[in-house]
Amino acid sequence: MKKAISLVLILCISTMLLSACSPSIPTSDQYVEGYDLQNMFGNAPEFRMCASDDSYYYLAPTGTIYLIDKQTLSCVPFCSKPNCKHDNAQCTARTRSQGLWMYQDALYVSEPRENMTTETNELESYTLYKISLDGSSKDEVRHVGMSIMGGFIHRGYYYTNDFDGVRRYSLTDKEENELILKRTDEQNYTIRNAYGNSIYVNTTRSEEQPVIEEYQYHINDLSGSPVSMGRIEVKNGESYGLLTQYIGDAGIICLKTLTANNQKTIQNLQFVWMDKNGNEKETIDLPKTDINSSVMTGFIRADDSYFYQAILPGVVNVEKEDFENSILHIYDRKTNQLIETCTFYDEYGDFYSIFTGDERYLFMEFEQRYLYGENGGHVDESDPYRTLCVLDKQQIGKGAELQELLHVTQ
């Protein structure tokens, strides 16, 4: 009898220990730190920035991971080896991954497997690695798909756009992988984002005119009916778009636009709030500017305090002056009033991406400027580059300016 009781106690203790080592995945529909995709530091299909308690991590297009100290903003390769040139696979800072993700206090990258071809193993031609934050270890997690058009880690799974559709791979069970959305001749799927209990997927249908629709799927009921969140379609020379811009606890911000004359003229552009069921709630009423809205478009991001609207050339046959008029407007989220403007084209080049970041810093990427030849067509600068800049949110409303952190030639 005593042996039986002892065995029960051992089993109970073992179960508790296992539970402590493997915490349950959150079920909240809000953002959960440590488990959820840090989409405040990335944009689909590229998630190349993330953060820990004391550092930011940035994957440059050169394939080098950089460590940015939150206190000093010093930006150095993520490598502790003395005299390392950061130019070979033995360097911790070097990767062939298309993305960089933070999950449970570790970095993750996905790299092509050596001596592999898609003919031999199409489903597992990449390896997912876990890298310690001190850079001392890089451990194989499992083999995964090829990460076409991006991928990310969210609540215990690695999601990716594979050749046959959208797949997810368990981080703890190397045998578990699931084709959650199967590609067909008529319909293709591209996973774009995640938030709480939802993933966001674009569906492209082949019709007389291509139609792209965005759907929200519940991660615990992928076979259920998805919620339509927006669409892009072209008819009779006009294009209509309703595109997700920002996902947060308060709802979803979408860009709603209508263009005509084969997308040469913007007839209407506005930003709207939607709820998590795809219903429009209200228009974000931002003050009008003197910028020619018929040739300039843009997008909007948000955090708890501000709206960030990048106004950019967004139609065909734009002029050089339109690129020079690119600007970042920052609005107070409570009042919708414009409180800061930041120009960037002359100093840093053409806009590439924006990361709203945390409470202190916003990050922006820029690429080579567009120059114009004698025939009026644009040509790129001879040396393609990428520049990462930071903006201190504590200076917003006081003349905040972008500060260069890193400039690399691709």
Side-chain angles (χ1 to χ4, degrees), residues 268-285:
N268 188 30
L269 183 152
Q270 57 185 191
F271 299 99
V272 297
W273 275 106
M274 296 177 63
D275 62 25
K276 297 295 181 64
N277 293 317
N279 302 310
E280 292 187 27
K281 296 193 297 183
E282 60 179 312
T283 299
I284 300 175
D285 187 20

Side-chain angles (χ1 to χ4, degrees), residues 186-200:
E186 295 77 26
Q187 195 160 268
N188 190 24
Y189 299 93
T190 305
I191 192 165
R192 305 285 293 179
N193 215 325
Y195 195 90
N197 288 323
S198 299
I199 56 173
Y200 295 82

Side-chain angles (χ1 to χ4, degrees), residues 152-293:
F152 54 77
I153 292 176
H154 183 73
R155 297 198 174 184
Y157 289 91
Y158 173 69
Y159 292 84
T160 185
N161 299 299
D162 216 332
F163 75 97
D164 57 352
V166 178
R167 283 187 176 270
R168 69 177 183 182
Y169 298 81
S170 169
L171 299 183
T172 55
D173 184 350
K174 293 186 178 182
E175 300 301 320
E176 182 184 349
N177 83 75
E178 181 182 5
L179 181 63
I180 59 178
L181 293 168
K182 181 177 175 56
R183 179 179 182 176
T184 67
D185 293 337
E186 295 77 26
Q187 195 160 268
N188 190 24
Y189 299 93
T190 305
I191 192 165
R192 305 285 293 179
N193 215 325
Y195 195 90
N197 288 323
S198 299
I199 56 173
Y200 295 82
V201 177
N202 281 3
T203 302
T204 305
R205 298 199 310 271
S206 299
E207 300 177 351
E208 291 184 5
Q209 295 284 358
V211 176
I212 300 175
E213 293 189 273
E214 184 173 43
Y215 289 100
Q216 175 199 74
Y217 289 83
H218 196 288
I219 58 177
N220 296 322
D221 185 20
L222 293 167
S223 62
S225 298
V227 176
S228 177
M229 304 303 297
R231 63 190 286 118
I232 308 171
E233 59 182 329
V234 180
K235 289 183 179 179
N236 302 321
E238 292 186 344
S239 65
Y240 167 80
L242 182 63
L243 310 171
T244 298
Q245 303 277 293
Y246 159 84
I247 306 170
D249 290 343
I252 299 172
I253 298 176
C254 291
L255 166 65
K256 191 175 184 179
T257 182
L258 177 67
T259 63
N261 302 321
N262 293 317
Q263 302 185 55
K264 293 181 181 180
T265 304
I266 299 175
Q267 290 185 315
N268 188 30
L269 183 152
Q270 57 185 191
F271 299 99
V272 297
W273 275 106
M274 296 177 63
D275 62 25
K276 297 295 181 64
N277 293 317
N279 302 310
E280 292 187 27
K281 296 193 297 183
E282 60 179 312
T283 299
I284 300 175
D285 187 20
L286 300 178
K288 302 297 183 183
T289 68
D290 58 1
I291 295 173
N292 184 358
S293 60

